[in-house]
Amino acid sequence: MSPRLWLHSLFWRKTLDDLMAGMNAGKRRMINRDEIELAKAYKRRPMPKDIRYPREGEIYESIEDVTVTYMTSHHAPFTGGGKAVLPKGEQVRVYKPDNDRPDGVYCNPLRYDELHEQIVPAEERANEYYSNYYFSIDTITLNKSFRLVGGGPAGT
């Protein structure tokens, strides 16, 4: 974070959800990159000092039924998604964290095909432009409702 942004981060009090709500309410027309970085830093502030941040390739297993956000990709400029329950014992692999202290990460389920119908509603799967699904899981949820079982950049 640049020194200028660091100074702004001391006084910043908005999340990405706050920024999006402002857009949806017509109070703003866009969200710039600096605002996104400030919102992410703000979200990380209350995280415990000893929290484990996920890394690309790591595999986590749910230790309880956990509600996650699923995202859908389409062969069009559109992304969908919603909430779904990932059953206890399911495993996910982390991919492409945006930094070394992410407030959340994208994950692919290891049992992708078996969970597909359970996660993504039939009407969305039937969309001619539908491509695939994945999860967006925040770091605190990964630490509380999952356990690290393997993986990592070297696949160990």
Side-chain angles (χ1 to χ4, degrees), residues 31-111:
I31 301 169
N32 69 45
R33 177 182 237 171
D34 287 349
E35 290 173 318
I36 292 170
E37 289 306 312
L38 289 166
K40 286 180 178 182
Y42 178 65
K43 187 172 180 182
R44 281 192 298 269
R45 266 190 227 159
M47 287 189 178
K49 298 292 182 208
D50 62 345
I51 196 163
R52 184 180 194 295
Y53 289 95
R55 296 184 185 106
E56 184 170 6
E58 291 180 336
I59 298 171
Y60 286 82
E61 181 177 279
S62 57
I63 58 174
E64 61 190 6
D65 289 355
V66 58
T67 300
V68 295
T69 300
Y70 73 89
M71 310 284 289
T72 58
S73 296
H74 295 75
H75 299 290
F78 176 78
T79 299
K83 298 287 186 188
V85 174
L86 189 63
K88 178 180 178 179
E90 290 296 338
Q91 295 182 346
V92 297
R93 182 182 311 270
V94 174
Y95 73 93
K96 300 181 185 172
D98 61 358
N99 63 61
D100 61 346
R101 291 180 45 207
D103 57 340
V105 290
Y106 296 125
C107 301
N108 286 317
L110 267 54
R111 293 183 348 107

Side-chain angles (χ1 to χ4, degrees), residues 1-10 38:
M1 182 176 288
S2 73
R4 184 181 64 80
L5 277 184
W6 179 84
L7 182 61
H8 285 300
S9 73
L10 297 176
L38 289 166

